[in-house]
Amino acid sequence: MSNKTTLLSPDKATYFWWYFLGIILTPFLGLGLILIFVKRKELRSTVYKISDHEIEIVTPGYSEKTDLASITGTSVSQRWIEQKFSVGTIQLQTKSKTTELRGIKNPKQIADIVLQAAEAERMRIHNKQKSKPAKQEPETAGAIDRLEYLTGLWQQGLITNEEFKRERKNMGV
């Protein structure tokens, strides 16, 4: 089974106000250029990796993974300027934490897709657990020791394949 991965990154419109502030501060000792450079570098180095089983957030100096199956809900927040650019922040809720995907283009559609993928992952895990046959293991530690002893005898050639198979069958293995 292949593991499909989709890469998302924040949209430039997310940093609109930072760019605007940078342009205003440029005449003051070039502080605006530094601000624009820092935010541009942050934008380029932030990546959201969405795979069949998890979502990984990679930012400068920070990485976080969230299993799709543990996502219980999503919400979208957009400021008025973000609504104009059709970008927003998606909050992924789990039982223990909330993770944010900032600057996502068409956030409501992406949030719905993530919820559908989370439900599909939970169903896949449930079906996999349901279809697993229960392993039959030796019941006691003595049976394990006896099996190891028989395996040693068989590997040394002291008992034949037929004797080894017969003894394993008698042990219930």
Side-chain angles (χ1 to χ4, degrees):
M1 187 166 99
S2 65
N3 191 11
K4 298 174 187 172
T5 301
T6 302
L7 299 176
L8 293 176
S9 58
D11 194 79
K12 293 176 186 173
T14 304
Y15 294 104
F16 172 79
W17 288 112
W18 289 107
Y19 293 143
F20 183 73
L21 184 62
I23 291 169
I24 291 174
L25 291 177
T26 299
F28 300 105
L29 302 172
L31 291 176
L33 294 176
I34 294 170
L35 180 65
I36 290 172
F37 175 76
V38 168
K39 289 301 175 179
R40 184 95 171 133
K41 185 177 177 183
E42 181 181 322
L43 175 70
R44 287 185 176 172
S45 59
T46 300
V47 177
Y48 307 120
K49 298 177 184 177
I50 302 173
S51 70
D52 294 340
H53 308 291
E54 67 186 9
I55 296 177
E56 182 178 7
I57 300 169
V58 181
T59 60
Y62 178 72
S63 180
E64 178 182 2
K65 291 183 179 182
T66 303
D67 290 330
L68 274 178
S70 67
I71 296 174
T72 57
T74 62
S75 61
V76 175
S77 64
Q78 291 178 294
R79 293 176 283 201
W80 68 272
I81 194 74
E82 290 176 332
Q83 288 176 355
K84 300 292 182 202
F85 292 118
S86 186
V87 297
T89 300
I90 301 172
Q91 290 93 17
L92 307 173
Q93 289 95 21
T94 65
K95 289 182 181 179
S96 60
K97 65 181 180 178
T98 298
T99 305
E100 289 187 344
L101 307 178
R102 297 176 194 263
I104 302 296
K105 193 85 169 158
N106 300 320
K108 292 176 183 170
Q109 293 172 346
I110 301 294
D112 290 340
I113 291 170
V114 167
L115 272 180
Q116 291 172 1
E119 184 61 34
E121 179 67 5
R122 283 191 289 273
M123 289 299 294
R124 185 192 68 79
I125 290 171
H126 177 71
N127 291 338
K128 186 177 177 182
Q129 288 174 347
K130 198 163 61 167
S131 66
K132 270 189 183 177
K135 280 188 175 179
Q136 213 176 20
E137 295 184 16
E139 295 178 9
T140 64
I144 294 173
D145 292 337
R146 174 88 174 130
L147 181 60
E148 288 176 1
Y149 175 73
L150 282 173
T151 304
L153 291 175
W154 175 69
Q155 288 175 342
Q156 294 174 10
L158 299 175
I159 60 174
T160 64
N161 285 342
E162 292 80 26
E163 291 172 328
F164 179 70
K165 288 178 184 176
R166 185 178 59 239
E167 287 298 321
R168 277 187 54 193
K169 192 174 184 181
N170 290 340
M171 292 177 58
V173 179

